């Protein structure tokens, strides 16, 4: 669902709205059920909620425009043999933060990011008291951060070499692979 901030050339407005609806519902289900599913794997309601969220996520990007999070997750998986879902979770925050930091980050993408941040905050019942809307990358990082004790990692720092020169080389290779990936459709 984090990859819905993409250009969708060739889609009708009805298709875009339907994809956004699926993404929103999927995000709400993840926020509602992930903690329960991790804490108690025998909680069938929570696991069903996560399965439905996965279905909605797949329906949200059914046109194939997956974006930078997916492209960088493919690169991470190729280099470090991480599970695809884990790679998506690891790369969401770094890619979102990079996109948000760009001076030419499209206004439409900014609005979509703010709307997604609100969906997560509303579903988690954690209203932001800041006068400015919170950046999506920060909201996602806060949400995923609550699962660190369960082994959920954000970013790839723990996978990189401890040698700084080798780590820099690995980062450059991740970036090269992600940029070459067919999923990379993000506007920045």
């Amino acid at each position: 669902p984090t990859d819905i901030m993409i250009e969708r050339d060739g889609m009708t407005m009805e298709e875009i709205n339907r994809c956004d609806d699926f993404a929103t519902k999927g995000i709400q289900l993840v926020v509602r059920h992930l903690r329960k599913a991790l804490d108690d794997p025998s909680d069938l309601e929570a696991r069903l909620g996560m399965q439905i969220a996965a279905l909605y996520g797949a329906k949200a990007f059914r046109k194939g425009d997956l974006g930078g999070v997916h492209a960088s997750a493919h690169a991470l998986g190729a280099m470090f043999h991480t599970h695809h879902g884990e790679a998506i979770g690891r790369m969401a925050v770094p890619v979102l933060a990079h996109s948000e930091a760009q001076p030419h980050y499209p206004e439409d993408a900014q609005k979509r990011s703010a709307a997604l941040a609100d969906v997560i905050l509303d579903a988690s019942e954690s209203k932001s008291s800041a006068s400015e809307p919170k950046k999506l990358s920060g909201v996602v990082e806060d949400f995923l951060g609550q699962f660190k004790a369960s082994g959920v990692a954000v970013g790839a720092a723990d996978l990189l070499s401890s040698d700084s020169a080798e780590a820099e080389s690995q980062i450059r290779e991740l970036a090269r692979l992600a940029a070459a990936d067919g999923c990379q459709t993000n506007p920045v």
Side-chain angles (χ1 to χ4, degrees):
T2 58
D3 285 332
I4 69 167
M5 302 157 305
I6 48 149
E7 295 182 75
R8 296 200 183 124
D9 295 336
M11 289 180 71
T12 67
M13 209 51 197
E14 181 182 342
E15 288 174 313
I16 291 171
N17 289 337
R18 190 169 43 246
C19 288
D20 286 354
D21 288 345
F22 282 125
T24 298
K25 289 175 184 170
I27 290 168
Q28 290 167 334
L29 287 167
V30 168
V31 172
R32 191 173 309 126
H33 294 290
L34 182 58
R35 168 86 279 150
K36 293 176 193 171
L38 287 172
D39 287 347
D40 181 7
S42 67
D43 184 335
L44 295 181
E45 181 180 339
R47 291 179 63 183
L48 177 63
M50 291 302 297
Q51 288 296 309
I52 294 170
L55 170 68
Y56 284 162
K59 291 176 84 54
F61 58 73
R62 68 178 181 77
K63 285 294 201 178
D65 289 340
L66 302 175
V69 173
H70 251 87
S72 62
H74 289 160
L76 191 73
M79 284 184 64
F80 298 104
H81 310 288
T82 57
H83 179 277
H84 183 64
E86 175 188 346
I88 293 289
R90 282 176 170 271
M91 298 312 296
V93 172
V95 171
L96 291 170
H98 173 78
S99 295
E100 292 168 344
Q102 302 307 305
H104 57 280
Y105 191 46
E107 188 174 329
D108 182 55
Q110 292 175 36
K111 288 178 183 175
R112 288 175 173 276
S113 292
L116 284 174
D118 286 343
V119 167
I120 294 168
L121 291 170
D122 288 347
S124 65
E125 301 175 5
S126 301
K127 306 291 184 226
S128 176
S129 59
S131 58
E132 288 184 29
K134 198 163 182 190
K135 291 193 179 291
L136 179 59
S137 59
V139 172
V140 172
E141 184 171 28
D142 290 348
F143 175 72
L144 292 176
Q146 67 181 307
F147 303 108
K148 282 185 181 176
S150 300
V152 174
V154 174
D158 62 313
L159 299 175
L160 299 173
S161 172
S162 58
D163 175 80
S164 61
E166 177 63 21
E168 180 67 27
S169 174
Q170 290 173 318
I171 291 168
R172 289 185 188 284
E173 181 62 7
L174 280 169
R176 186 191 71 73
L177 289 170
D181 191 291
C183 291
Q184 174 44 316
T185 59
N186 281 18
V188 292

